Amino acid sequence: MKKSQLFHACLPLFLFTLSPGRAAVYQEVGGVVVIEAENFHSRTNHPTNLHHWHIVPKEDGVDEFADAPAFPDGGFPNARGDKYIQLLPEGGFNITSAAGFAGPPWVDYKAYIQNPGRYRLFLRRRGYDGNSDSIYGQIVELSDGPGGTVADWYRYSASSTINFNGAWSGSAAFEDFTIALPNVNAEWEIQNPGIYTIRVKHREDGVALDTVCLQLTTIAAPTDPGPDES
């Protein structure tokens, strides 16, 4: 069989595997993997209070959840691709303890890392005020329990403004619920190639996430609007 014939014979299976965009595993290339927030692998809602990661504007007024008819922030301009996700409904549901952190809501992204090394997690996110801008980020497979030297999770905070301009942040507090620790680079040592799960969960509801970027620490921090999606 010719190469062209083989390609076309495999194409339907390839498209079936990756379509429709969600539930895909993104490929790190050259030490960088970038994922638009709305292209999550999966999302898990809170079991009782309806909090969930809502795709703006795709699910506005059409999803199954009882969102407020108008968002408190009126929407965040300058999102990449004019889409982002937001933890709704907004109303003071904050996760500030280990008990709350253990459960959903959260959103997961899958990335295949082929080049081991030290990686830093950048999140392009916003909040409409200081009560809606905190968020947690973790790599599920990299954990050594509370008090260890590996970051089980980081707390990103202080990113409230009206739009996504300049919203990249790669600094966060190491395993801190109370806003008592200073920010450091949100980094992990990835020693082996493989599929890793980037999990994002809110600290304060109302927080909005536009893009996730995991990259080697030797690469300069992303600038607006940032590298293309992987």
Side-chain angles (χ1 to χ4, degrees), residues 14 50 64 89 95-96 98 105 109 118 122 149 205 207-208 214 219:
F14 177 80
L50 297 183
E64 69 273 30
I95 295 177
T96 57
Y109 303 89
R118 190 159 187 83
F122 290 87
T149 59
D205 55 10
V207 68
L214 184 66
I219 298 173

Side-chain angles (χ1 to χ4, degrees), residues 12-25:
L13 177 59
F14 177 80
L15 291 176
F16 178 79
T17 302
L18 294 185
S19 181
R22 294 186 194 178
V25 176

Side-chain angles (χ1 to χ4, degrees), residues 170-188:
S171 298
F174 186 100
E175 297 182 23
D176 178 41
F177 291 114
T178 64
I179 315 185
L181 298 179
N183 286 346
V184 296
N185 290 346
E187 297 179 357
W188 289 267

Side-chain angles (χ1 to χ4, degrees), residues 104-198:
W106 59 61
V107 60
D108 287 347
Y109 303 89
K110 297 283 187 178
Y112 180 79
I113 305 299
Q114 61 181 346
N115 293 298
R118 190 159 187 83
Y119 280 78
R120 186 177 180 186
L121 179 61
F122 290 87
L123 303 179
R124 194 172 194 251
R125 91 272 190 258
R126 280 304 189 212
Y128 62 91
D129 64 17
N131 294 316
S132 67
D133 59 359
S134 294
I135 200 169
Y136 298 116
Q138 62 183 143
I139 297 180
V140 174
E141 293 79 11
L142 302 180
S143 172
D144 62 357
T149 59
V150 176
D152 297 343
W153 48 271
Y154 286 97
R155 172 187 52 78
Y156 295 73
S157 62
S159 183
S160 55
T161 189
I162 61 172
N163 59 55
F164 281 109
N165 289 347
W168 286 108
S169 178
S171 298
F174 186 100
E175 297 182 23
D176 178 41
F177 291 114
T178 64
I179 315 185
L181 298 179
N183 286 346
V184 296
N185 290 346
E187 297 179 357
W188 289 267
E189 192 72 33
I190 297 180
Q191 299 180 352
N192 301 302
I195 297 175
Y196 291 86
T197 306
I198 302 167

